[in-house]
Amino acid sequence: MSLLVTGKIQVLPEDVSCRIAAGEVVERPASVVKELIDNSLDAASSLITIEVEEGGRRLIRVTDNGTGMNRDDAQLACQRFATSKLQTEHDLFSLSTLGFRGEALPSIASVSRFRLKTVSSESLVGTDTNSEGGTVWDIQDYAGVPGTQVEIRNLFFNTPGRLKFLKTVSTEFSKISYIVQQAATIHPQIHFRLLHHHHKVLDYPAVSTFQDRVIQIYGATFLDRFLTLNQTTGPFQLTGFTVSPHHAKGSRTPQEIFVNGRPIKNTTITHAIYEGYKSFLPKGKHPQFIVCIQLDPRTLDINVHPTKRDVRFSHPEVLHSGILHAIKQIFFSGSSFAINPQDAVPEERAAPPPIPTAKPTAQSLVVAPVSVSQFSPEIGNRHATHLSIFAQEPVATYPVQAQEFHVFPLGQIHQTYLLGQINQDLYIVDQHTAHERVIFERLLRSWSQKDVSQQGLLIPEPIELLPHQGALLDEWLPVLSQAGLEIDQFGPTSYVVRAIPAILGSVTVGPLVLELLDELSEWKSTDSLEALIRPILASMACQSAVQAGRTMTLPEISTLLQDWAKENFPMTCPHGRRVAIRHSLDELNTLFARTSE
Ligand code: ADP
Ligand code: MG
């Protein structure tokens, strides 16, 4: 009898390993677009056209006028680890190209119906290769102008799991549009065009300077709001634009980082920039920036992840302190772009956050009665807290769930926490999270009862968006309108906000919408309407709730505690933060070793 012992380990077939690798490189249509644009850039193209259908699910076609490939190379290009950009491992640290891993084309081809048409500038006859799921089924001669066209149809047709994770057409398209915009930003000398269903969405003809490209993308007023960075700090060079502190917004767009010409995300750099702004930005504002860092490629590891989105620096601490100082320096430098240091808003002098009020302001006209009690800024009084100990009488009494509540406002601690007695219990309440939750509950209730009262703006608030933000907003307009936000489009990327939910009082409208857009990109189309509406309402509630650091008077404290009790003492805000700490009379008695009567 012979025993045949076979091991359990086997080498995966090429097509399986390729599809697994594809999972890392090709997450969504936008990742395909990024890889194809990178290849076109590496091929020294001066015009790159990206055509997309159904947010890239049905078709992605990238055409360039670069060097093209001859037949041998065209065939090799679709094999794994085949690259023209790297010969030895050492080359990894002196790369001048965006690609080097030789896995993008085979990975993309393995999860799509793929067609590569290419004509090398040296040969007259081009090659037309067709494959499906990575298997080539046709190679032919092809006559055309030098350059390359890669066509991807039915992405993920053979990996339904991936397909399921894709978001809506407009969300996927918005991500593509963002990728194109990023590539265009850092390559001003290249003409980029993006078409969706044959409509031209982006068109950035070649310009000679980075500044001109930035103006093409972000508009002519960009330079009025941004300071110019141009510093050589030790081992690296920092160029680009960073917002003047008093023009900073609540949104994180743009926050672009390019290292040696690659768009990346990197916490060291972002952190350094935020630190640089630290004492200059009012609360709730973010710095906007487009920074380009140029450094010795030997001090940089770009091979951290297949998507090459993150990089590793050999001396992150040097980079961190260099950027931090460079940012601080321009706020004080004498350059013509630099602002007067007095214009900066130091933290302690930061403009007070908007305080919700029921009163119509110069900007807003109340068309529907404001149904809830709001704080009025006029009641704000620095000495309010001193009065608190004299408040002996319950200020309000009204029923919640057939119960009577007695509310005694006691005061405020650190202009952040409210102290109060409700019935027998002592409460320490975070003023922001409590107010946020109250507003949220009211918004949610009025939304579910289809009774959102709106407040029309006397002067509609114009907002100018980037194309990828506009694409997103278009899709969510009906949902936002149900939440009480009335926004109309009046130009390709121009919108006006006409009305907001009355409950929000005099919230600043522009930042509210921009903040919402940051969140919109994360939503899935498959979510239920309520699941969609909740984050919108939470975000609106957060923006309009009273901030920490605002003095509140006793009547205001009382109103907020009443409103919160009325909502049945919710203990967390919509984002999950704690609202209150409660000590019952029994607990206090136990703490003080007193037997209760
Ligand atoms: P990588 O870019 O990492 O080398 P890819 O799989 O993206 O790997 O591409 C493989 C090779 O195909 C490249 O090294 C390049 O030689 C060739 N190639 C791909 N796209 C183009 C293009 N648009 N123009 C010219 N050559 C290209
Ligand atoms: Mg590549």
Side-chain angles (χ1 to χ4, degrees):
M1 192 173 84
S2 79
L3 268 180
L4 188 68
V5 183
T6 44
K8 293 177 190 156
I9 301 179
Q10 48 175 303
V11 177
L12 289 175
E14 171 82 13
D15 60 328
V16 177
S17 62
C18 213
R19 274 213 293 279
I20 292 172
E24 293 196 300
V25 188
V26 192
E27 193 191 341
R28 55 173 9 110
S31 8
V32 172
V33 172
K34 173 176 183 298
E35 291 297 336
L36 298 182
I37 291 180
D38 278 1
N39 282 347
S40 298
L41 290 168
D42 285 344
S45 315
S46 61
L47 168 65
I48 303 176
T49 305
I50 302 103
E51 294 162 88
V52 173
E53 283 173 24
E54 269 182 31
R57 288 165 185 233
R58 188 160 68 201
L59 172 78
I60 297 168
R61 187 189 294 129
V62 176
T63 311
D64 68 44
N65 61 354
T67 53
M69 288 171 260
N70 63 27
R71 175 156 304 193
D72 287 348
D73 282 349
Q75 276 172 276
L76 270 176
C78 297
Q79 280 178 31
R80 265 186 97 194
F81 309 125
T83 179
S84 58
K85 301 168 194 173
L86 193 72
Q87 250 124 49
T88 71
E89 195 189 332
H90 292 293
D91 296 347
L92 258 184
F93 295 95
S94 56
L95 277 177
S96 58
T97 54
L98 295 165
F100 58 86
R101 295 175 59 110
E103 59 183 353
L105 289 188
S107 299
I108 295 166
S110 74
V111 290
S112 67
R113 301 196 165 94
F114 179 93
R115 183 172 192 185
L116 170 70
K117 289 197 277 186
T118 181
V119 181
S120 130
S121 28
E122 286 124 38
S123 58
L124 292 173
V125 183
T127 314
D128 182 357
T129 310
N130 278 277
S131 72
E132 179 163 327
T135 310
V136 177
W137 55 267
D138 189 36
I139 302 182
Q140 296 207 356
D141 283 350
Y142 163 77
V145 291
T148 301
Q149 180 176 85
V150 182
E151 199 176 87
I152 314 296
R153 288 184 188 273
N154 311 107
L155 183 67
F156 300 138
F157 80 97
N158 54 353
T159 50
R162 273 285 148 143
L163 209 53
K164 261 214 310 263
F165 278 99
L166 292 188
K167 297 183 176 171
T168 60
V169 166
S170 55
T171 304
E172 293 302 338
F173 180 72
S174 144
K175 290 183 190 288
I176 290 175
S177 168
Y178 177 62
I179 291 287
V180 178
Q181 180 198 296
Q182 261 188 335
T185 308
I186 196 69
H187 296 284
Q189 71 290 3
I190 294 170
H191 185 171
F192 283 87
R193 289 190 304 197
L194 171 66
L195 292 91
H196 197 200
H197 298 289
H198 310 289
H199 292 294
K200 208 188 289 172
V201 179
L202 300 179
D203 190 6
Y204 302 130
V207 282
S208 50
T209 66
F210 177 61
Q211 179 169 317
D212 291 337
R213 181 49 61 86
V214 165
I215 291 171
Q216 265 178 339
I217 297 175
Y218 295 94
T221 61
F222 183 90
L223 293 182
D224 304 338
R225 292 172 286 124
F226 281 70
L227 308 173
T228 303
L229 275 170
N230 194 356
Q231 311 243 345
T232 304
T233 323
F236 64 90
Q237 201 201 3
L238 184 70
T239 51
F241 299 96
T242 192
V243 74
S244 323
H246 56 293
H247 280 119
K249 298 178 295 186
S251 137
R252 290 186 182 81
T253 307
Q255 288 192 343
E256 303 293 346
I257 304 170
F258 300 93
V259 171
N260 289 3
R262 281 169 203 282
I264 58 151
K265 296 245 172 278
N266 183 274
T267 44
T268 304
I269 299 174
T270 310
H271 185 262
I273 296 173
Y274 270 81
E275 284 292 293
Y277 270 91
K278 202 165 179 189
S279 54
F280 291 91
L281 276 191
K283 276 214 178 72
K285 304 282 183 198
H286 293 282
Q288 288 83 45
F289 52 83
I290 304 170
V291 301
C292 311
I293 296 164
Q294 209 62 41
L295 41 69
D296 184 342
R298 284 170 301 183
T299 64
L300 182 70
D301 184 359
I302 42 183
N303 195 18
V304 182
H305 190 267
T307 60
K308 307 173 218 114
R309 261 190 306 236
D310 198 5
V311 293
R312 228 167 261 156
F313 302 101
S314 42
H315 300 292
E317 62 299 332
V318 177
L319 190 68
H320 188 278
S321 72
I323 293 175
L324 195 158
H325 286 111
I327 298 278
K328 280 198 165 155
Q329 209 177 323
I330 58 160
F331 297 156
F332 291 106
S333 79
S335 107
S336 58
F337 289 108
I339 52 155
N340 183 336
Q342 276 144 24
D343 289 352
V345 191
E347 221 159 35
E348 36 312 343
R349 286 199 287 121
I355 298 160
T357 166
K359 280 180 55 202
T361 63
Q363 277 194 351
S364 63
L365 167 73
V366 180
V367 292
V370 175
S371 56
V372 294
S373 47
Q374 298 274 0
F375 309 131
S376 155
E378 287 86 341
I379 320 174
N381 177 346
R382 295 237 146 234
H383 306 292
T385 43
H386 302 304
L387 300 170
S388 60
I389 50 170
F390 300 112
Q392 301 289 337
E393 293 299 311
V395 175
T397 304
Y398 58 78
V400 170
Q401 292 192 338
Q403 265 189 355
E404 290 279 301
F405 275 85
H406 301 285
V407 176
F408 301 83
L410 297 175
Q412 194 188 23
I413 306 167
H414 291 299
Q415 295 166 303
T416 301
Y417 302 106
L418 310 180
L419 212 56
Q421 182 184 340
I422 305 178
N423 289 350
Q424 301 278 303
D425 302 334
L426 171 69
Y427 286 89
I428 305 173
V429 175
D430 181 314
Q431 65 194 42
H432 175 71
T433 50
H435 194 206
E436 193 180 350
R437 183 65 191 252
V438 167
I439 298 176
F440 175 78
E441 291 300 326
R442 289 172 174 181
L443 284 169
L444 190 63
R445 213 167 24 245
S446 52
W447 172 77
S448 60
Q449 292 163 0
K450 299 202 172 8
D451 181 28
V452 182
S453 44
Q454 279 186 336
Q455 164 184 319
L457 301 180
L458 186 60
I459 305 164
E461 176 93 12
I463 35 176
E464 207 30 69
L465 297 177
L466 292 168
H468 70 276
Q469 295 175 312
L472 264 185
L473 188 59
D474 286 348
E475 179 184 353
W476 297 109
L477 279 181
V479 180
L480 292 176
S481 136
Q482 287 182 34
L485 212 55
E486 219 48 77
I487 303 175
D488 287 344
Q489 185 171 13
F490 75 93
T493 51
S494 311
Y495 296 78
V496 276
V497 184
R498 300 201 183 278
I500 60 172
I503 291 172
L504 298 187
S506 64
V507 63
T508 34
V509 175
L512 172 82
V513 175
L514 292 172
E515 190 73 22
L516 275 177
L517 279 169
D518 279 350
E519 289 184 9
L520 281 173
S521 61
E522 295 311 313
W523 301 342
K524 294 201 199 81
S525 59
T526 47
D527 290 340
S528 72
L529 197 55
E530 178 167 347
L532 288 176
I533 215 86
R534 277 178 167 267
I536 305 183
L537 302 182
S539 185
M540 295 201 290
C542 181
Q543 299 254 345
S544 57
V546 63
Q547 299 289 336
R550 222 271 273 156
T551 305
M552 289 180 66
T553 61
L554 281 183
E556 288 176 327
I557 296 170
S558 168
T559 309
L560 180 49
L561 291 181
Q562 289 159 29
D563 289 347
W564 177 66
K566 222 174 156 187
E567 296 300 339
N568 225 2
F569 303 92
M571 287 310 242
T572 54
C573 81
H575 298 107
R577 272 180 49 215
R578 178 192 273 275
V579 167
I581 295 171
R582 165 179 171 265
H583 286 295
S584 68
L585 183 58
D586 282 348
E587 277 169 339
L588 292 177
N589 285 337
T590 312
L591 276 172
F592 290 96
R594 177 186 290 274
T595 42
S596 50
E597 291 98 64

